[in-house]
Amino acid sequence: MTYIVYIVGIGFGILVLAWISGHFVPQNMTVTLSKTLSATATEIFEPINDLRTWQVWSAWSPDKMKGYVSEFSGPDSGVGQVWTWSETKYPGEIEILESEANQRFVYALSMEMWPTPMISTISFKEQDGQTEVRWENAVDWGSRPLSRLVGFLMGKQILLGSLKFGLKSLEQRANEQRGG
């Protein structure tokens, strides 16, 4: 019986320590990745500007999120297009907020587990057939201390992994379409 009391006490102590630590973690975080891709701005921008192609090149592919159901609404591409996915552990949606061809792309990613949408900006700078892509995510982890702590400890690495995967896939897609 004493072991159970010790185990419960230690578990409670860890939870309290995590809760207190969460108060010292910033509520907002920005994660940015820049990479120069061997593709033109058009080759990179076009698949980004049509959310239906994200299932092919992004981290939100059917291979990574098994069994989800996708729905698209709004225009075929650009501002106002919305991709909603459901019947998965992490339902959510992406909506295109701004779209300047080959220059800039802004979207909001909303998921049930986040208190506010993550706003992401992708900018493009082409030079000599290569494009520097800068992908920035602004996240608000909310006011709950444990959410902030988990976001701080794990969120950055998860987001960076997602961005790296997406940029690599976009570059591969552009090279395949060019026949190289």
Side-chain angles (χ1 to χ4, degrees):
M1 180 65 142
T2 354
Y3 290 117
I4 293 173
V5 171
Y6 285 128
I7 291 171
V8 169
I10 290 171
F12 182 73
I14 290 170
L15 188 60
V16 168
L17 182 61
W19 184 79
I20 291 169
S21 299
H23 284 285
F24 296 100
V25 173
Q27 181 172 335
N28 299 302
M29 178 174 71
T30 301
V31 176
T32 304
L33 179 66
S34 292
K35 185 176 181 187
T36 300
L37 305 180
S38 58
T40 65
T42 301
E43 291 172 322
I44 301 301
F45 178 81
E46 286 181 357
I48 289 174
N49 197 44
D50 181 356
L51 296 177
R52 292 171 299 183
T53 69
W54 285 47
Q55 295 177 89
V56 175
W57 63 264
S58 78
W60 298 290
S61 68
D63 294 339
K64 293 194 176 277
M65 293 177 24
K66 303 257 186 255
Y68 72 92
V69 175
S70 288
E71 292 181 32
F72 298 92
S73 59
D76 289 338
S77 64
V79 175
Q81 186 182 36
V82 177
W83 174 23
T84 305
W85 60 91
S86 59
E87 297 185 27
T88 178
K89 188 175 179 182
Y90 306 109
E93 77 172 28
I94 295 176
E95 179 178 1
I96 301 175
L97 304 176
E98 298 176 34
S99 178
E100 297 174 46
N102 307 330
Q103 299 293 314
R104 186 179 153 154
F105 180 86
V106 180
Y107 66 93
L109 169 60
S110 302
M111 297 185 81
E112 287 182 8
M113 63 183 159
W114 296 341
T116 59
M118 176 178 70
I119 305 299
S120 298
T121 302
I122 307 172
S123 56
F124 311 86
K125 185 189 278 185
E126 183 178 343
Q127 185 174 356
D128 300 326
Q130 295 191 326
T131 305
E132 180 186 353
V133 180
R134 184 172 192 270
W135 198 333
E136 180 177 291
N137 294 301
V139 184
D140 179 347
W141 296 115
S143 60
R144 296 180 305 220
L146 292 177
S147 296
R148 289 163 53 176
L149 182 61
V150 170
F152 178 76
L153 294 175
M154 295 175 22
K156 183 173 185 175
Q157 294 308 311
I158 291 170
L159 288 172
L160 280 174
S162 174
L163 299 182
K164 287 176 184 176
F165 179 87
L167 290 177
K168 182 178 177 182
S169 295
L170 282 167
E171 186 173 38
Q172 287 175 338
R173 185 178 195 271
N175 289 331
E176 288 169 5
Q177 289 181 337
R178 244 187 284 118

